[in-house]
Structures are given as structure tokens and as C-alpha cells.
Amino acid sequence: MNRINKKLFSSSVILMSLILILAACGSSKDTAGANSGKEITMGSKNFTENILVAEMMAQLIEAKTDIKVNRKLNLGGSNVVWTALKNNEIQLYPDYTGTVVANYYQEKTGTAEETLERAKELVKQDKLVFLDPLGFNNTYTLAVTKSTAEKYNLKTYSDLAKVSPDLVLGVEFEFLDRDDGYPGVQKLYNMNFKTAKGMDHGIMYQAIKGGETDVTNAYSTDAQIKANDLVILEDDKQFFPPYYAAPIIRQDTLDQYPEIADVLKTMNDSITEEDMQDLNGKVDIEGLKEDQVAHDFLVEKGLIES
């Protein structure tokens, strides 16, 4: 190798070494969060809204901390996710004040404020923390088609109870068994439907639209209420408690990663019932993906960058 070629070779080696060093530095910076060793698992229940809110929480934590968020979304009904949290299979997920108080601990609810404070106090016995609400109240309700409402002159649950023996009820599986679901409504209002069917949340609206059922349970934030032109009946004896959504997290996880509470606090009171109806509609009616809808909403609210 002559002197010129040796110089060119040496220069090339030096240049390649510099490139590799710079690339390594950049790679180390880019993967700092991924290699931080900080890791949690986010869970959710098996319906669109809960998946959406869980995805929002996960994306916010990922954007504002160096914690890696694994996802176990769409796990199942309330009791399934609740058990997963207590068993440390997941470390946090979104739940509802009325569900915590009435379903998990079988205690009486009160006003929105009373139910929230009771939820916060009750979960401490299981070494959990119920954080502040996200803004919307997703209470249960009963709905019928306009034709059914007009035929039987239905405005309230008491009106419905009178004609319930002539009607078919189609509700979520867990609503059939929960104390704050059909058994409680049935007892308070003396409702006795001709048939009570359990089904998946998405199927309920197809069933009532197709005439297979006459009455369905619904969430007040469901987009399908408006899309299917359903009539919400008045809970005139105020059976259903408030169901304000909020993150629930294990105390040991919060002790390890206290920054999570600060990050999730930025979501406090950021979502209205109308927002949630719109977000649910983007997934259930327009067919968009939950992660994209969650991302767009967080960007719109200025909680993360696009």
C-alpha cells in the first residue's frame, strides 16, 4: 500500500470511528427511557370508553416520564380488572366512583362528593389509591326506542316497571348480577321483564335496533344512544349512583413512581360527558382505533405534543 492510500485508509478509519461513536451517543439518548428499567402495566375493562381512557393515561405517562407502559387492555368486566389490580397483574387502570363503592365494597353511595371521598377511603384497605376524577360522570341508565316510549307512554323507570312484564330486557352480562345493576333496579322499582338477556355491550344496541329487545341498559356517555335515536328514561327514585371516572393505582407502584400522580393530575376535569360521547363515537361508529383517538384528544387538550 503506497503512502497516499495509507493516508486515505487511515482517514477513512478515523471517520468511521467518529460516526460510530456519534451514533452510539445518539442511540443511548434515544433509548434512555426504554432502558431506564422503569416499567408498569396499564389495564382496562372490556368496553370502548375504558379502553380509550386507559390509552390516554398510558400515552400521557409515556410522554411525560421515562416509564415504559405495557398494556393489558380489554381484560374483561369490572371484577376481572379489579382482581388483576389487587393481584399486581396490572398496576393501574381507570374506574368509577359508584362501581368502587357499590360493587367492590357493597356500601351505600351518596352525592358525587360523598361517593368520591368514600371510594378514596375504602380502597386504602387494599393498599390502593383512587386519584381525582377526570371530569365526566358515566352513570348507568335505561333506554328504549322512540316507538316503544310512545307506545307505552314511557318517561320514567316507574312507568317502565308497570309495563315490564310485556317487554324484553337486553343488558350487559355483568349488569344482570351487579348489586348496582339489574337486581337493585328490579327490587326498588318492582320490575319484572318477560325476559332478561345478558349480552356484550356492543351487541345490546344491535339487539334493540333490530327489535330483539325492548329495553337496554346504557352508559350516559355512549355514542350509540344518539346514533340509534334512543330515549333515556328518568331514574325517578335515583337508584343509580354517580360514576365519575378516575385513575386507580396500587400504593406500592405510586411509592416507587410518585411522578405518575403528578402526570395524571393534568387530566383532572379535562373530559366532559359530551367529549366522551364524541370520543366513543369515533371508535364505535367511525371505526377509528382507540390509540389514535386517545392521542388526538391529548394533543387537542394540549396535554402532549403531536
Side-chain angles (χ1 to χ4, degrees):
M1 185 180 291
N2 60 38
R3 187 176 298 174
I4 295 176
N5 286 338
K6 284 182 179 179
K7 287 183 177 179
L8 288 173
F9 178 76
S10 298
S11 298
S12 298
V13 170
I14 293 170
L15 181 60
M16 287 300 296
S17 298
L18 286 171
I19 291 172
L20 289 172
I21 290 169
L22 289 171
C25 291
S27 176
S28 175
K29 181 178 179 181
D30 292 340
T31 59
N35 296 330
S36 68
K38 297 181 178 181
E39 191 170 332
I40 59 172
T41 300
M42 178 77 68
S44 88
K45 304 185 188 187
N46 58 348
F47 58 95
T48 299
E49 174 178 295
N50 209 253
I51 296 170
L52 271 169
V53 175
E55 185 63 47
M56 288 181 201
M57 290 163 53
Q59 290 187 27
L60 193 59
I61 293 170
E62 289 172 332
K64 299 297 183 179
T65 74
D66 59 353
I67 300 171
K68 178 183 177 183
V69 183
N70 298 314
R71 290 160 173 77
K72 285 188 178 180
L73 307 184
N74 200 20
L75 277 176
S78 295
N79 292 329
V80 172
V81 187
W82 176 249
T83 301
L85 181 70
K86 293 201 293 182
N87 290 344
N88 204 22
E89 295 166 19
I90 61 174
Q91 284 73 59
L92 72 166
Y93 76 100
D95 214 322
Y96 305 85
T97 53
T99 302
V100 170
V101 175
N103 188 44
Y104 302 148
Y105 295 100
Q106 290 84 50
E107 292 207 5
K108 290 184 179 180
T109 57
T111 64
E113 293 76 15
E114 290 168 345
T115 306
L116 172 61
E117 292 308 311
R118 193 65 185 131
K120 288 186 173 186
E121 189 62 32
L122 286 168
V123 300
K124 290 179 181 178
Q125 63 190 271
D126 288 303
K127 298 180 179 179
L128 306 172
V129 180
F130 197 80
L131 299 177
D132 289 330
L134 305 174
F136 66 93
N137 177 23
N138 185 7
T139 188
Y140 275 125
T141 188
L142 295 177
V144 297
T145 62
K146 276 190 175 180
S147 59
T148 299
E150 291 171 358
K151 179 179 179 180
Y152 295 99
N153 193 26
L154 302 179
K155 294 181 180 178
T156 67
Y157 288 12
S158 293
D159 295 335
L160 179 62
K162 296 173 185 176
V163 297
S164 57
D166 298 326
L167 304 175
V168 175
L169 176 71
V171 296
E172 286 180 297
F173 287 110
E174 72 172 12
F175 188 81
L176 283 177
D177 303 316
R178 286 174 51 151
D179 291 335
D180 60 340
Y182 179 51
V185 175
Q186 185 180 34
K187 182 178 180 180
L188 179 62
Y189 285 98
N190 192 28
M191 287 185 187
N192 295 286
F193 291 96
K194 181 165 55 177
T195 306
K197 300 179 179 179
M199 55 190 68
D200 288 330
H201 185 73
I203 302 298
M204 297 187 317
Y205 294 102
Q206 297 177 25
I208 195 168
K209 184 177 180 180
E212 298 172 32
T213 60
D214 304 299
V215 185
T216 191
N217 78 287
Y219 299 120
S220 58
T221 55
D222 279 351
Q224 293 96 329
I225 293 173
K226 187 175 181 180
N228 290 290
D229 205 22
L230 299 180
V231 175
I232 298 299
L233 301 179
E234 179 191 349
D235 183 7
D236 51 307
K237 294 183 181 180
Q238 299 180 336
F239 170 77
F240 289 119
Y243 290 89
Y244 281 88
I248 186 168
I249 184 170
R250 292 176 58 87
Q251 180 67 66
D252 54 7
T253 301
L254 204 53
D255 291 342
Q256 187 175 7
Y257 306 128
E259 62 267 37
I260 291 177
D262 294 330
V263 168
L264 293 179
K265 189 176 182 179
T266 64
M267 288 183 68
N268 289 0
D269 296 320
S270 64
I271 312 173
T272 67
E273 282 84 1
E274 291 76 17
D275 286 335
M276 207 65 244
Q277 273 197 359
D278 181 57
L279 294 169
N280 287 331
K282 289 180 184 299
V283 175
D284 293 335
I285 298 172
E286 298 178 33
L288 301 180
K289 298 293 185 182
E290 287 96 341
D291 57 348
Q292 185 60 55
V293 173
H295 174 81
D296 291 346
F297 182 78
L298 291 174
V299 171
E300 177 189 333
K301 289 289 183 177
L303 296 174
I304 65 172
E305 296 180 0
S306 56

